Amino acid sequence: MLLFLIMLDSDEDRSKFVQLYHKYRYFLWYLACERLQDDHLAEDAVQETFLALTHHIDKVGCVESAATRNFLATIVKNKATDLWRKRRSEERRVGKEC
């Protein structure tokens, strides 16, 4: 998490990020795990979500709002889908080599 905090400019953004991280990390992992069926890839999706959040922290208003929860859920689902497609592509490539 320290790397993410370094990427943020203001103390207000850092505070908001920490609150978001602690409030939503398990929820986001659950969503990613449902989509990927792989704990480790789900962790990667969550990390990528928080990385994306450092670039879009200004789009987040209230930490507790449904809009914030939905925003983060959308990001993690998209990141999980990207990881799933990448894994599937790699599996196909490896299958062709054999």
Side-chain angles (χ1 to χ4, degrees), residues 45-86:
V46 171
Q47 291 300 310
E48 288 187 22
T49 298
F50 282 112
L51 177 61
L53 181 61
T54 63
H55 300 293
H56 301 287
I57 194 81
D58 57 315
K59 295 180 182 175
V60 175
C62 177
V63 171
E64 303 288 330
S65 74
T68 297
R69 183 175 187 225
N70 292 337
F71 177 66
L72 292 172
T74 299
I75 295 172
V76 80
K77 287 176 183 178
N78 290 335
K79 296 296 183 183
T81 299
D82 292 345
L83 287 170
W84 180 81
R85 286 180 182 147
K86 181 179 177 184

Side-chain angles (χ1 to χ4, degrees), residues 21-34:
Y21 183 84
H22 288 294
K23 178 151 183 70
Y24 294 109
R25 63 184 169 177
Y26 296 117
F27 168 69
L28 296 175
W29 179 83
Y30 175 79
L31 293 176
C33 212
E34 273 189 329

